[in-house]
Amino acid sequence: MTTDVWHPGEQQLQASIGMQERLASVGQQVLRDYLTEQLRSFFPLLPFVVAAAADEDGWPWASLWQGQPGFVSSPDPQQLHIAAVLSPDDPLAPWLDAGQGLGLLGIELGTRRRNRVNGVVQSYGPHRIELHVEQAFGNCPRFIQQRLPLPPLPAATSAQVEELPALDAAARRLISHADTFFVASHAGSGASREGHLQMDVSHRGGPPGFVRIKGDCLLIPDYAGNRYFNTLGNLLLQPRCGLLFIDFERGDLLHVQGEVEILLPDSASHRQRIAALPGAERLWQLRVHRVLRRSRALAQPWQLLAFSPASQAIATGQ
């Protein structure tokens, strides 16, 4: 990799908390352009991965791909293969082709492990996606809630897909009770690699209700994390993103696209708004652009076993 592993958006936010110099050296150690043996053995354990790609207009989508453990494999340190048959209603399906940027997040809910891999699609067919790895790194489990799989849900008799003009009551209910969501982003053409967007998908978690809804906007706290600012750095340069909310019991997937304004604690009014969300160090305000609901798209429900200690601490004000 180049010596400058962070793009300008990430560097700007790192500098805002006085950590740019320190993270310049950390990045050399944690960001790799290949899969370590630990990552190569981790992904085949998973029954699903979260994926990110952009449509023809550059709007990111986040989705979830499922299979039996082993459906993701790594034939060598530069490649991940995903043996998944994407549903025609998957919002990523129309935009996957050789040469397109693709972000993947592997997350093991039972052990609260997660790792990210970003790269470019080498080939895409009806039963197989081959990804060339450009960036791979681990993430801390700080806000991952522990969940265990339950028996598979009955298969839906027909596709149940709704494109909504705005958040309806059911969508608002899911978001307002969520303790987890995923976010797809990219930094735009300024941080592209060899002509393709470098896609990324990240996990966000907190106590139930940590995402607030105000009209057609979502108010999302940004908690203390690894300070890499991969997602917020992307959004600073390119504010469009795609969110994925999951109803882990019913199996519904809610895809939300929106445009983000990041509020930093650099003014009294911003600090006041940030303080209204317990535990927040920054705030993102997302104006909803598009909503897609795929009912019963999750093959397997997941039972909540325990909230993460960090989520519990925010919920109890500790």
Side-chain angles (χ1 to χ4, degrees), residues 266-277:
D266 53 7
S267 69
S269 61
H270 285 183
R271 288 192 291 272
Q272 184 177 16
R273 295 188 65 187
I274 293 167
L277 297 177

Side-chain angles (χ1 to χ4, degrees), residues 3-318:
T3 55
D4 200 7
V5 297
W6 308 113
H7 65 60
E10 295 164 331
Q11 293 177 23
Q12 182 176 335
L13 290 172
Q14 292 166 5
S16 73
I17 59 168
M19 294 191 65
Q20 184 177 1
E21 184 175 345
R22 176 182 174 187
L23 286 170
S25 60
V26 170
Q28 297 294 324
Q29 302 170 35
V30 300
L31 271 69
R32 300 179 175 89
D33 57 1
Y34 64 92
L35 298 170
T36 63
E37 287 303 312
Q38 183 270 333
L39 290 183
R40 295 184 67 199
S41 62
F42 171 74
F43 277 90
L45 302 175
L46 305 176
F48 71 84
V49 292
V50 185
D55 65 20
E56 61 183 351
D57 296 319
W59 277 95
W61 285 104
S63 191
L64 185 145
W65 296 345
Q66 307 166 85
Q68 293 297 316
F71 84 106
V72 182
S73 61
S74 173
D76 63 60
Q78 293 294 151
Q79 295 187 76
L80 267 185
H81 291 177
I82 304 102
V85 179
L86 302 192
S87 169
D89 58 48
D90 189 306
L92 270 62
W95 316 115
L96 291 177
D97 205 350
Q100 299 297 311
L102 178 67
L104 289 180
L105 174 69
I107 185 165
E108 194 173 46
L109 298 179
T111 62
R112 301 175 56 236
R113 297 168 65 196
R114 61 170 166 160
N115 293 284
R116 280 148 85 166
V117 176
N118 303 325
V120 59
V121 177
Q122 284 187 308
S123 67
Y124 173 61
H127 304 288
R128 187 182 184 88
I129 302 162
E130 297 184 359
L131 176 71
H132 175 74
V133 175
E134 293 182 333
Q135 189 179 67
F137 57 103
N139 279 159
C140 73
R142 185 173 173 82
F143 287 98
I144 300 175
Q145 328 303 353
Q146 188 177 27
R147 285 182 158 90
L148 296 178
L150 295 174
L153 292 164
T157 56
S158 61
Q160 301 176 55
V161 183
E162 303 168 85
E163 183 159 352
L164 307 175
L167 296 172
D168 63 6
R172 290 172 180 271
R173 186 164 53 250
L174 173 58
I175 294 171
S176 63
H177 289 84
D179 58 56
T180 297
F181 73 89
F182 301 91
V183 52
S185 65
H186 62 77
S189 58
S192 64
R193 291 173 179 262
E194 300 178 0
H196 66 267
L197 296 173
Q198 184 174 326
M199 300 303 305
D200 179 73
V201 60
S202 178
H203 162 276
R204 287 292 188 273
F210 77 108
V211 178
R212 310 284 179 88
I213 304 175
K214 185 177 182 181
D216 64 349
C217 289
L218 304 184
L219 303 179
I220 303 170
D222 189 63
Y223 301 132
N226 56 24
R227 313 294 191 182
Y228 299 167
F229 294 115
N230 306 115
T231 298
L232 290 194
N234 283 349
L235 295 177
L236 196 65
L237 300 181
Q238 167 50 258
R240 296 181 297 180
C241 67
L243 308 186
L244 174 65
F245 292 90
I246 302 174
D247 187 325
F248 286 100
E249 296 178 358
R250 288 175 44 87
D252 298 344
L253 302 182
L254 186 72
H255 307 264
V256 178
Q257 288 181 322
E259 193 160 354
V260 171
E261 177 186 5
I262 301 173
L263 303 185
L264 301 176
D266 53 7
S267 69
S269 61
H270 285 183
R271 288 192 291 272
Q272 184 177 16
R273 295 188 65 187
I274 293 167
L277 297 177
E281 296 188 341
R282 283 153 295 276
L283 170 65
W284 21 315
Q285 180 172 279
L286 180 144
R287 186 170 298 279
V288 174
H289 168 75
R290 189 176 179 187
V291 183
L292 181 71
R293 180 165 50 228
R294 299 164 62 208
S295 300
R296 299 175 65 187
L298 186 67
Q300 188 173 40
W302 292 76
Q303 178 184 12
L304 178 66
L305 188 63
F307 290 110
S308 74
S311 295
Q312 294 181 43
I314 290 173
T316 57
Q318 297 179 354

